[in-house]
Amino acid sequence: MNELAITVIGRDRPGIVADVAEVLARLGANLTDSTMTRLRGHFAMTLICVGPATAEVEAALAPLAADGQLLATVRAVTPDGATPLTGEPYVLAVHGADRMGIVAAMTRVLADAGGNVTDLSTRLTGSLYVVVAEVELPPGSSDEVAGRLTRTAAELGVGVSLRPADPDLL
Amino acid sequence: MTGEYTGLGGWAPDALGVPGEVRPVVAAPDPVLSRPGPEVDPTSAEVVQLAADLVATMRVSPGCVGLAAPQVGVGAQVFAVDVTGHPKAVTVHGTFVLCNARVVEASRWKAGREGCMSVPDLTGDVKRASRLVVEGALPGTGAPVRLVTDGFEARALQHEIDHCAGLLFLDRVAGAHAIYQRKVYL
C-alpha cells in the first residue's frame, strides 16, 4: 500500500476541497489525516492518503492546477510515520509587535531543549503577531524551558506564556 | 486590607463622586497590555478618577462587558465590569469597579470563546472557572469586597483580573487551532 503526502495551495474559491477529494475518491485513495485552512486568502491543504501510485495521483490532480491558480504536489512517504509521544504536552503562546524571526527564535529554544513542536499556527493582524504552538517537552524540563523562552521573548520584545495542555481524559 | 469582606452593598459608580471621561482604548501589541500592573491605593483621587473613566469608557463601547486599566494605557490593578443584560449571564452584580482583585476560589472549568477590545481582530477558546469567588476593594472607600459569581460574569472577572496581571486571552488559549479571525463586530 502506498502512503502519499499531498499539498494543495492556491487562491481560495468554493469547491477546492470537493474537487481534490473527488479526484482521490475516484482513484480509490483513502484520505487519512488532513488539515485545511485559509491563510491570508490562500487556501492551503496538507493530507496523507493511502492507495494508488504517486504518478497516478499527480496525473489526476494536474487538471485542477491547469489554470495556474492552484499548486498541487504529491510525494510518497514511509508508511506509519507516527512518532510516539515521549514528552509532556504544553501550549506555547507568543504575542507582540511583528518583526522578523519570532518563530525561528522561539522554536529554536524548544528544539535546543529537545522539545518537539506538534502543531503551530500564526496570525498577523495589524501590527500584532500571534504564535500558538503545541509542544512536547522532555519530562521535568518545563521550568528551565520557560525561563529560556522568557529571556528570548524579552530580547524580541514580545510576550510569552507556556502552560501545560490539559487533555481532559474522560 | 482591613475590615470584613462584604458584598457590593448596592455600590454604583455615582458613589465615586466624579464624572468619568472616555479614554482611548489601546490595542495589542502595546506593551502596557503585557506588563503586570501594581496594586493601587483605592482611596486615592487618581484611582477614583481612573475608576470613573473606566466605567465611562466601558459604557460608550458597544458590547463591552469589562474594561481594565491597562486597556486605557494605565498599568494598575483596577477594572470595571458590567454584564447586565448579556444573554449568557446568570448572576449579575450590575456595574462595579474593583481594585487589587484576586481570585480566591475557582471551580467548574469550562471552555468558551472570548474576544477583547484590545485584540479586536481575533477571538479564542479559553477555559475559565464558571464558579468564582473574588476579593478586592471598592474605589473611593476602599471597602473590602467578596463577590461570589458564576457563568459569564465569572468569565468576565477572570479576563479583567488577567489584564491587571499583564495577560491577554491569547496567553490562555487551548491550542494551536484555538485562535480565530473575528467575523462579527458589535
Side-chain angles (χ1 to χ4, degrees), chain B:
Chain B
M1 207 177 289
T2 56
E4 286 288 300
Y5 284 95
T6 62
L8 288 171
W11 189 90
D14 300 351
L16 293 169
V18 290
E21 276 180 34
V22 174
R23 299 201 196 185
V25 174
V26 302
D30 192 310
V32 71
L33 294 166
S34 297
R35 275 198 296 265
E39 286 202 3
V40 298
D41 171 4
T43 62
S44 75
E46 196 185 348
V47 167
V48 169
Q49 185 63 56
L50 174 61
D53 293 354
L54 286 171
V55 171
T57 308
M58 180 171 70
R59 285 191 169 147
V60 299
S61 309
C64 182
V65 296
L67 195 65
Q71 293 182 276
V72 296
V74 182
Q77 293 186 32
V78 185
F79 63 81
V81 161
D82 187 357
V83 299
T84 306
H86 194 281
K88 287 184 188 162
V90 186
T91 301
V92 176
H93 284 91
T95 309
F96 59 93
V97 178
L98 287 183
C99 304
N100 310 328
R102 61 198 172 93
V103 172
V104 292
E105 283 177 46
S107 60
R108 301 206 187 178
W109 297 80
K110 289 182 181 168
R113 188 75 58 92
E114 281 182 29
C116 179
M117 275 179 77
S118 296
V119 188
D121 298 326
L122 301 173
T123 62
D125 291 332
V126 180
K127 211 175 206 185
R128 303 274 193 196
S130 64
R131 292 291 177 92
L132 195 75
V133 180
V134 164
E135 290 176 353
L138 288 174
T141 61
V145 169
R146 181 182 173 92
L147 279 189
V148 181
T149 190
D150 55 32
F152 189 69
E153 193 176 68
R155 180 172 289 274
L157 279 163
Q158 289 164 87
H159 182 110
E160 304 311 330
I161 289 171
D162 269 359
H163 269 305
C164 294
L167 296 172
L168 296 172
F169 76 85
L170 299 171
D171 292 302
R172 293 203 188 271
V173 289
H177 299 282
I179 288 188
Y180 312 90
Q181 209 77 40
R182 192 158 171 181
K183 296 184 177 77
V184 180
Y185 291 87
L186 288 163

Side-chain angles (χ1 to χ4, degrees), chain A residues 91 93 95-97 119-121 123 125 127-128 130 132-134 161 163 166 168, chain B residues 28-29 34 119 121-122 127 167-168 170-177 179-181:
Chain A
V91 177
H95 54 84
D119 212 336
L120 183 146
S121 72
R123 291 277 181 190
T125 166
S127 60
L128 173 65
V130 182
V132 185
E134 290 167 42
S161 62
R163 295 173 195 281
D166 44 350
D168 276 345
Chain B
S34 297
V119 188
D121 298 326
L122 301 173
K127 211 175 206 185
L167 296 172
L168 296 172
L170 299 171
D171 292 302
R172 293 203 188 271
V173 289
H177 299 282
I179 288 188
Y180 312 90
Q181 209 77 40

Side-chain angles (χ1 to χ4, degrees), chain A residues 44-128:
Chain A
M45 152 185 221
T46 308
L47 60 92
I48 300 292
C49 73
V50 177
T54 311
E56 203 181 341
V57 178
E58 271 174 347
L61 288 173
L64 291 181
D67 64 357
Q69 300 289 316
L70 278 184
L71 174 69
T73 69
V74 185
R75 61 172 291 198
V77 291
T78 313
D80 196 16
T83 44
L85 303 187
T86 52
E88 296 168 341
Y90 284 83
V91 177
L92 168 76
V94 180
H95 54 84
D98 185 33
R99 54 166 287 174
M100 283 295 292
I102 294 175
V103 173
M106 300 309 278
T107 55
R108 179 55 63 197
V109 172
L110 298 171
D112 286 348
N116 194 20
V117 176
T118 57
D119 212 336
L120 183 146
S121 72
T122 67
R123 291 277 181 190
L124 173 63
T125 166
S127 60
L128 173 65

